[in-house]
Amino acid sequence: MTSTEQLTGERADLLQTLRKHRGFLLHTVNGLTDEQAAARPTASELCLGGLVKHVTTVEHRWMLFAVGGAEAMERVEIDWVGQFQMAPGETLAGLVERFQEVADHTDELLTTLDLDTAHPLPQAPWFESGASWTVRRVLLHLIAETSQHAGHADILRESIDGARTMG
């Protein structure tokens, strides 16, 4: 039994919800070829592999923030356009493997992080100036981000081959 399976209360609820929405995203890409994962079957620039890549990057960066604040988060550069696309040589299997590595690391961190620890947000036009987020708020953000992109993925998957996550 891993230490994450022993969690209770709010911490267990947050982790269970994050895992549920990660599972929706992974279910949506299950069984796809690399070509299907890289396809953009709608008017959007989004592809399924790119969504997995983006959610991985977001979770990794926000957990760096949860541990070390904005400075730690900003040490990892972000490709604002490329993060939503599969680059030449990338495979869906590789993207899913990295997604799982980041998820496992987050799950382990959640066993020890104080949910009330807060850090000032990075300077960005989309953040309120001078605001801080707690680890709890970071987790809520990751749940929302993962859930939103799992919904995007469901639409893309249905456009590719008619498969749906639910229903």
Side-chain angles (χ1 to χ4, degrees), residues 4 15 18-19 21-27 29 52-53 55-57 59-60 92-108:
T4 59
L15 182 56
L18 180 56
R19 284 177 172 169
H21 292 284
R22 285 180 189 144
F24 287 149
L25 180 59
L26 290 178
H27 178 77
V29 301
V52 171
K53 185 177 178 178
V55 171
T56 302
T57 299
E59 184 167 325
H60 175 69
L92 181 58
L95 293 173
V96 168
E97 182 179 343
R98 176 67 180 141
F99 176 91
Q100 195 57 58
E101 288 169 1
V102 169
D104 290 347
H105 183 67
T106 296
D107 292 357
E108 284 302 315

Side-chain angles (χ1 to χ4, degrees), residues 62-63 65-66 133-143:
W62 276 109
M63 290 314 296
F65 174 88
W133 277 10
T134 62
V135 171
R136 177 182 296 101
R137 179 65 183 90
V138 167
L139 291 174
L140 291 170
H141 177 70
L142 289 177
I143 291 166

Side-chain angles (χ1 to χ4, degrees), residues 44-94:
S44 169
E45 292 291 319
L46 297 176
C47 70
L48 288 161
L51 286 174
V52 171
K53 185 177 178 178
H54 168 70
V55 171
T56 302
T57 299
V58 166
E59 184 167 325
H60 175 69
R61 291 181 86 236
W62 276 109
M63 290 314 296
L64 289 172
F65 174 88
V67 172
E71 183 178 306
M73 176 190 221
E74 291 172 335
R75 280 189 211 125
V76 174
E77 290 189 30
I78 189 163
D79 178 355
W80 292 101
V81 174
Q83 69 175 321
F84 288 101
Q85 301 166 356
M86 288 179 65
E90 287 183 324
T91 65
L92 181 58

